[in-house]
Each structure stands twice: as structure tokens, then as C-alpha cells.
Amino acid sequence: YNTALKKRGRLTVWFAPEVLSAWLCPIATGKPGVRGARTLYSDLAIACVLTLGVVFPLPLRQQQGLAQSLMTLL
């Protein structure tokens, strides 16, 4: 009985292999005239984190922390 209650609190999130392989942006090409910092995460990763924010209504920084903790578990 206690084990069943503990399993109710578990969180399972499935990431497709395509998402994991495309999580980080490719290395910058060094194009002349492009200003600003290099993008670290891909558009797919940002959309994934924002989707988690819809499922779990959290402020943006908490969504970021949730995504970082999930990626650490992976």
C-alpha cells in the first residue's frame, strides 16, 4: 500500500530521441555582421520548455529550473 502511494508522486516525462539530439543549437558559423551572444538552446528546446509550462503552470524561471532538473536526470 505504501509503495503504491509513493508511485503516485512519481513524475515521468518522455522526450523523443529527436528532441534530445536537437536540444542544443549547432555551433555558430561566425558570419560577419551578426551581433549578440551565441544561441545556446535550439528553438525545439525552447518550445519543449514552454510546453512544460502549459502542463505545469509555473513562472518562466521555474519552468527553466524544471527543465534543467529533468535534463540532469537524463
Side-chain angles (χ1 to χ4, degrees):
Y1 177 75
N2 289 333
T3 305
L5 289 176
K6 288 180 188 177
K7 286 183 180 179
R8 287 184 189 175
R10 287 192 176 168
L11 174 66
T12 303
V13 178
W14 294 88
F15 287 104
E18 298 83 23
V19 172
L20 295 178
S21 64
W23 193 260
L24 296 176
C25 269
I27 297 174
T29 59
K31 295 178 184 176
V34 177
R35 299 174 61 179
R38 182 175 88 79
T39 305
L40 182 62
Y41 298 107
S42 67
D43 291 341
L44 181 64
I46 294 169
C48 202
V49 171
L50 291 175
T51 303
L52 284 174
V54 171
V55 175
F56 304 104
L58 298 170
L60 185 59
R61 293 293 178 209
Q62 291 178 356
Q63 291 174 22
Q64 182 182 6
L66 175 63
Q68 287 176 342
S69 65
L70 288 174
M71 294 311 291
T72 301
L73 291 173
L74 291 173

